[in-house]
């Protein structure tokens, strides 16, 4: 484990006057034992180029560096953190680069290299699911593993299975290209300032290429429509999406062997993939 010569995070925050900003979804992890545990979920990083989104004052950053990855690039939108992040980069020479940008807008290929790339983030609440979708939709998926902290309710929606309350678009998109597991629950009191809700870390591993569903866009449209009105039958909720490909919802469902009076949460991921394929082919 690499030695951390830096002062405790509370001192860093006070020295650089880094009060949390709500608009940027800022809740900081200050316990380096916990951040090392989270970083450890990425597995052996000795040959990895790690990317951390939203390092803030650097709690998770230092957890990652303690595990000595080959390289770490952090992407931070709020420039107030650059001074504290520079201090970390200096304490771990030749290891860390800082990209001051919006993680939604960057092209990771511009700064991530090598065979083995991992993503780690205590995601900002306001853009967490958008970032996840961006990384899932990457063609091809460029990362070996993603270790992502979300609000518990969002984490539940990523790992949900068919029939459960949390099952919906996010579970179907995520699990159509990855295996996803809830690895760690984190109580609100672990953060400064504490958020209103519990958080959880999800670990995502891309499926072998031949098993990944190949059209997340079509799947996104069909599932958004199906779960947009989750209490209604699919015959009703899929009407709009079906009309976009020139079919009635009955016709679309019939071709996929799905009962039109069923509700979205009872249809398996494979069922939605079948619907998305038929929808895409009809649209083309
Ligand atoms: N990693 C730190 C920790 O665990 O203590 C801070 C996590 S805090 C929940 C989220 C961080 O993401 C903040 O530093 C915030 O400024 C940053 N952030 C918010 N939106 C961002 C975006 N679009 N791109 C990059 N960073 C962003």
């Amino acid at each position: 484990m690499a030695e951390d010569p830096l002062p405790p995070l509370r001192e860093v925050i006070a020295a650089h006057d880094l009060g949390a900003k709500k608009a940027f979804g800022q809740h900081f992890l200050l316990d380096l034992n916990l951040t090392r545990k989270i970083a450890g979920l990425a597995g052996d990083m000795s040959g990895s180029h790690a990317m951390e989104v939203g390092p803030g004052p650097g709690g998770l950053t230092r957890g990652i560096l303690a595990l000595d990855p080959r390289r770490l690039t952090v992407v931070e939108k709020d420039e107030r953190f650059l001074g504290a992040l520079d201090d970390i980069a200096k304490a771990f020479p030749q290891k860390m680069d800082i990209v001051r940008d919006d993680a939604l807008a960057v092209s990771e290929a511009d700064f991530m290299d090598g065979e083995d790339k991992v993503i780690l983030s205590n995601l900002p609440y306001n853009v967490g699911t958008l970032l996840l979708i961006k990384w899932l939709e990457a063609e091809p998926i460029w990362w070996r593993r993603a270790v992502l902290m979300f609000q518990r309710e969002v984490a539940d929606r990523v790992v949900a299975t068919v029939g459960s309350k949390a099952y919906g678009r996010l579970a179907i998109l995520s699990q159509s290209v990855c295996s996803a597991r809830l690895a760690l629950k984190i109580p609100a009191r672990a953060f400064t300032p504490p958020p209103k809700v519990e958080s959880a870390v999800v670990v995502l591993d891309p499926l072998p290429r031949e098993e990944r569903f190949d059209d997340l866009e079509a799947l996104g449209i069909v599932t958004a429509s199906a779960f947009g009105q989750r209490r209604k039958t699919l015959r009703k909720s899929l009407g709009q999406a079906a009309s976009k490909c020139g079919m009635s919802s009955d016709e679309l469902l019939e071709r996929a062997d799905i009962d039109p009076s069923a509700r979205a949460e009872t249809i398996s991921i494979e069922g939605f993939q079948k619907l998305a394929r038929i929808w895409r082919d009809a649209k083309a």
Side-chain angles (χ1 to χ4, degrees):
M1 192 174 294
E3 206 179 305
D4 185 331
L6 293 153
L9 276 155
R10 281 189 198 283
E11 282 176 29
V12 173
I13 288 172
H16 291 268
D17 194 17
L18 298 175
K21 266 197 203 162
K22 216 175 171 186
F24 281 179
Q26 292 172 353
H27 297 278
F28 306 136
L29 287 169
L30 305 186
D31 175 352
L32 294 176
N33 287 321
L34 177 59
T35 62
R36 276 195 285 267
K37 190 168 168 187
I38 295 167
L41 293 169
D44 178 8
M45 285 195 280
S46 54
S48 312
H49 189 164
M51 174 178 82
E52 185 199 356
V53 164
L60 182 55
T61 316
R62 287 164 64 174
I64 298 167
L65 288 166
L67 301 184
D68 209 17
R70 179 177 64 75
R71 190 141 203 95
L72 169 64
T73 299
V74 298
V75 183
E76 175 58 61
K77 185 173 166 180
D78 185 347
E79 62 189 15
R80 294 180 310 139
F81 295 115
L82 297 184
L85 293 170
D86 255 339
D87 290 346
I88 302 177
K90 283 192 193 111
F92 293 87
Q94 313 291 325
K95 275 280 165 195
M96 179 175 148
D97 305 299
I98 304 165
V99 175
R100 161 47 192 111
D101 211 331
D102 180 338
L104 279 170
V106 296
S107 163
E108 293 89 354
D110 292 345
F111 52 82
M112 296 298 291
D113 62 30
E115 288 297 301
D116 180 28
K117 306 181 197 74
V118 291
I119 306 175
L120 299 105
S121 182
N122 171 9
L123 285 164
Y125 289 167
N126 38 359
V127 291
T129 50
L130 289 176
L131 282 167
L132 171 61
I133 302 280
K134 177 189 180 195
W135 296 325
L136 294 173
E137 283 183 345
E139 189 40 54
I141 292 184
W142 51 268
W143 38 278
R144 163 177 68 80
R145 174 167 285 185
V147 176
L148 305 177
M149 190 180 315
F150 296 96
Q151 284 170 274
R152 174 72 197 276
E153 171 261 331
V154 179
D156 285 344
R157 287 200 278 128
V158 176
V159 302
T161 50
V162 62
S164 65
K165 218 169 123 196
Y167 181 67
R169 180 168 171 269
L170 207 50
I172 294 165
L173 292 180
S174 304
Q175 295 171 45
S176 284
V177 290
C178 287
S179 67
R181 70 185 171 92
L182 199 150
L184 202 59
K185 294 177 202 160
I186 317 257
R189 64 171 186 283
F191 299 87
T192 305
K196 290 203 177 76
V197 292
E198 197 179 56
S199 295
V201 182
V202 173
V203 174
L204 293 132
D205 291 330
L207 296 171
R209 196 145 186 187
E210 62 282 4
E211 289 174 31
R212 287 180 214 156
F213 188 68
D214 64 351
D215 194 340
L216 286 195
E217 198 186 335
L219 194 57
I221 291 170
V222 169
T223 51
S225 180
F227 287 94
Q229 300 166 293
R230 60 189 294 145
R231 284 169 177 274
K232 296 202 170 153
T233 62
L234 286 167
R235 173 181 287 125
K236 285 233 162 80
S237 62
L238 273 180
Q240 237 185 2
S243 68
K244 280 191 194 148
C245 69
M247 277 197 252
S248 69
S249 53
D250 271 325
E251 210 179 334
L252 177 63
L253 288 156
E254 205 170 288
R255 284 215 216 162
D257 289 322
I258 294 173
D259 176 1
S261 65
R263 288 193 168 72
E265 70 257 27
T266 65
I267 307 302
S268 68
I269 293 178
E270 294 72 27
F272 275 108
Q273 291 177 348
K274 201 167 172 188
L275 272 174
R277 260 190 222 108
I278 295 166
W279 183 90
R280 173 192 57 193
D281 294 349
K283 194 156 184 288

